[in-house]
Amino acid sequence: MAESKNNDAFVEFERVQKSYDGETLVVKDLNLTLPKGEFLTMLGPSGSGKTTCLMMLAGFETATHGDIRLDGVGINNIPPHKRGIGMVFQNYALFPHMTIAENLSFPLEVRKIGKSEREEKVKRALDMVEMGDFGGRRPAQLSGGQQQRVALSRALVFEPELVLMDEPLGALDKQLREKMQFEITNLAHSLGITTVYVTHDQTEALTMSDRVAVFDDGRIQQCAPPDQLYEEPDNSFVAQFIGENNTLLGTIKEIKGDQAVVQLDDGELIDCKPINVSKVGERTRVSIRPERVEFNKERLQPGAHTLKAEVLEFIYMGDIFRTRLRVAGNDEFIVKTRNAPDQVRLTPGTQVDIGWLPRDCRALDA
Amino acid sequence: MSDIADTGPVLAADGTPLKRSLARALRVQKTRALLLIAPLLAFVLISFIWPIGVMLFRSVENEIVENTLPNTVKELATWDGGSQELPPQSAFEALYFDMFAATELKRHTRLGTRLNYEKTGISSLFRQSGRKLDDPGKDYRKALGAVTSDITKSATWLELISGASDAARSAPLVASQRQRLSTLDDRQIKGDLSFSPSADIVQLLPRAAREYTAFALYTELVDGKDVAKTKPWESVYVALAADLSDADVSGYNGPHAQMLRDLVAADVTAPDFRAIFTDIDKDWGALETWRTIQTHSKPYTSGYFLNAIDMQKTPEGAMAQPENKQILVKLFIRTLIMSLIIMGSCALLAYPVAWILANLPARKANILMIFVLLPFWTSLLVRTSAWKVMLQQQGVINDVLVWLGLVDDADRLIMINNQFGTIVAMTHILLPFMILPMYSVMQTINPSYLRAAKSLGATNWTAFWRVYFPQTIPGIGAGAILVFILSIGYYITPEIVGGTKGVFISNRIAYHISSSLNWGLAAALGTILLVVVLVLYWAYDKIVGIDNVKLG
Ligand SMILES: Nc1ncnc2c1ncn2[C@@H]1O[C@H](COP(=O)(O)OP(=O)(O)O)[C@@H](O)[C@H]1O
Ligand SMILES: [Mg+2]
């Protein structure tokens, strides 16, 4: 993955806008740069414009405004079939009247590649996804997972440098999906192809990607590597959308550098890291991950603020304990603790003091 | 291995074998399902299968000859039609009595019409002969009446045939004559005769007794008159004359025995049946006439089918029709070719329309769909007549062309009453049947296939031709079959705009059903049409596969 440090932009969206009806913008001011070899995932709720972005890149939709560049060349006026971009569709779009081998050989035929070379490439592409024995079958004779592999190898058989995938695993069951996630990332990395992957499943996005672009309302809310996205969300949408999250509403009391004190709505004070708040008196939504909450005073900074909390529910989940608390009027405050020998098991009804490191508690827009 | 394997059949909870209880449960379901569809099944059977069966039957059925001339047919069975000799006297005699009864029941012209399909002229021969069959009877009545006037009286006949009151009765004769008339008249003759012929007289005067019994059955049970007061058929006198020539009446002592002896003594010449017929019409002396009757005397015939393919049944076997009567095969071929052209032009026109329909947003597609369906809401006759207005020589299209100067006023295009007119009008009328299946198939084709093809590097044309088009073939196939089958049996439109050159085989079928009344030939043509369609359907299934047809 050392190559991904290569910062030459391979795919570039610059100030791209898209409207279907001339009234509303489905994509609003999209700026995105992908270096060669990167695996980027577009993640977002349904209707947030992910597919539209992908279709603009593939050439099936035209941008209403802005430039899309591939390897430094503007592609706004290049028809889809000349872009040389591999695509995997959610329904796989395997041609039902052709056998698997014919499906794979199709992109090679239209490229006028000789028969023997074609056969060799088809075989190699099928072997790559372990479907070598299925060349003679029709798509309808394959299971969902097998069709998925074929669709993948068809998108790769003509050796594109860029592959787009629109929710390719959406129709598979959980187990198969996890297996395929792994295979797709492996394949993409070993072939060194640049991949734009669309999904609305955050686990998929986090486990597969080099970077994740979180979409909402036609905009990228944050584009960052998975760990950063999870641990350092830029705004409360991302914080809520990715992983489990506790939120507390309050007002900024004071800001000093990267430390802020927030007065919660019930009057208590807590320490936070200000992210996209700047003024004293501003409303804020404080975000803290369930696994970063501490009962143990010793693990907290000296002088840190703590909060009183009442245990409402204790759920034993094997590897972790999940405790639901009432904190500052919020009944849904979740704390996750690792099942370790010295870990306390809180009983409902007890009062505890909880706290956290200020850097784990992020004051975001309300 | 498992315990099921060695404990025998699996048992249900109540101990009956599982298989049996399953079968019972299923049987109840099946019965219920059958009851639910029973009305439909009955409807289909009665309104569809049965008429087709009747049609198939009619195309080979030929009982009319045997039913009308039963004894003649029997006599002709031993006659060698290939020989140069006329049939024996016995055949002429049988023909006389068969014809006479048929004429009395007004059945002879039907047979004449039937045989006329095979040999022109027979129809009028039968009609004229029927009219003149009375003459010999009248002559004999006069001749015999001159010997004793008793014989011309109705009552005498009844007494003579009834015989002595204590004489044995001949039931078989009544039964056989009842059968004869029933077959001839196509209905059961019911009721009892007021007398029955005596066995003695039946033996003594077999022909006269037979004819009189037939006459009596008809008079009493069909006409509802009193035989004692009705003059017997003229054929009875001919029969009596024939009987007298070889009867020995000396030992007879029933009623009117003396009269019979007097008549025998008078020695009236026996009827020469061949002369009777050749006097009526010289055609009865022609071998051709007899051959025709013999050739078509079987109750089932391949004759109609042979006629349907421009051949005819002759004593020497199947032969081609004379050149000038060979029209049907040509008509079949024309029907097939024109149907193919109509199918092709429908497909060409329908494909883009269906494509637009399938790719337009739903609301606009619905509006367009109304235009497609509009023809269905207009009478077929109106649409066809509209084409007449459009295409005729003084019609809209010609007027426009003349006005544009493309066509000279003197030689306007002839676009109607020919094949062109039929093709244009039928293409228009059958177009929806092509569009709808195409549309329903195209609608199900996910646009992502085209996108996938383009993303794989295919140009618009390649993507269409290699990816989209093959997936629409089921729709094309369905539309093509539908249009072809509809067109091959179409009747109204070719009838109106086809003239003579643009008519179909179905117009010929209609002609034979309503004008020439040759239903057998019509049925044979219809059967051939059915078979052609089935064969084409089968071929289509072999080549394209019928599972590939999607009607919706
Ligand atoms: N072909 C289209 N015509 C009109 N509106 C569309 C079309 N495709 C998508 N949209 C609209 O654009 C928005 C974004 O859609 P899409 O890009 O498919 O979202 P996502 O893939 O993130 O679910 C949605 O509101 C959708 O209704
Ligand atoms: Mg989408």
Side-chain angles (χ1 to χ4, degrees), chain A residues 12 36 69 76 88 147 185 192 246-247 256 258 262 303 325 350:
Chain A
E12 258 180 300
K36 216 172 183 127
R69 281 188 289 275
N76 282 18
V88 180
Q147 291 187 28
T185 29
N246 291 311
T247 56
K256 259 191 232 142
D258 65 348
V262 171
L325 306 166
T350 44

Side-chain angles (χ1 to χ4, degrees), chain A residues 50-51 166-167 198:
Chain A
K50 308 178 299 284
T51 301
D166 192 355
E167 311 209 13
V198 165

Side-chain angles (χ1 to χ4, degrees), chain A residues 118-187:
Chain A
R118 226 159 53 205
E119 278 168 2
E120 190 193 322
K121 284 190 176 197
V122 167
K123 188 174 164 349
R124 205 170 343 123
L126 280 178
D127 286 340
M128 185 172 71
V129 293
E130 292 163 20
M131 293 289 295
D133 298 337
F134 295 87
R137 297 225 194 151
R138 302 247 164 185
Q141 296 167 313
L142 300 184
S143 72
Q146 291 171 328
Q147 291 187 28
Q148 172 57 55
R149 285 158 195 253
V150 173
L152 189 63
S153 68
R154 187 180 67 176
L156 297 174
V157 69
F158 59 97
E159 291 157 18
E161 289 187 276
L162 175 62
V163 175
L164 312 181
M165 306 190 194
D166 192 355
E167 311 209 13
L169 305 181
L172 303 184
D173 60 50
K174 188 164 175 290
Q175 249 180 346
L176 205 53
R177 200 155 64 215
E178 280 166 8
K179 187 156 176 270
M180 288 303 298
Q181 287 168 5
F182 178 73
E183 285 185 22
I184 290 175
T185 29
N186 262 2
L187 214 55

Side-chain angles (χ1 to χ4, degrees), chain A residues 45-52 54-55 90 166-167 198-200:
Chain A
S46 171
S48 55
K50 308 178 299 284
T51 301
T52 307
L54 213 61
M55 288 302 159
Q90 175 162 14
D166 192 355
E167 311 209 13
V198 165
T199 183
H200 62 263

Side-chain angles (χ1 to χ4, degrees), chain A residues 7 9 38 47 49 52 62 65 70 73 112 126 131 155 164-165 188 213 219 224 268 276-277 280 294 347 352:
Chain A
N7 267 345
E38 188 179 49
T52 307
T62 47
H65 177 85
L70 187 61
V73 185
K112 310 240 163 17
L126 280 178
M131 293 289 295
L164 312 181
M165 306 190 194
R219 283 179 205 281
E268 300 223 44
N276 56 355
V277 288
V280 171
E294 284 295 347
T347 36
V352 289

Side-chain angles (χ1 to χ4, degrees), chain A residues 18-21 24-27 42-55 61 166-167 198-200 215 218, chain B residues 451:
Chain A
K18 172 72 188 177
S19 170
Y20 284 107
D21 52 8
T24 50
L25 284 173
V26 170
V27 175
M42 294 178 170
L43 173 69
S46 171
S48 55
K50 308 178 299 284
T51 301
T52 307
C53 286
L54 213 61
M55 288 302 159
E61 297 291 351
D166 192 355
E167 311 209 13
V198 165
T199 183
H200 62 263
F215 272 67
Chain B
R451 290 185 164 182

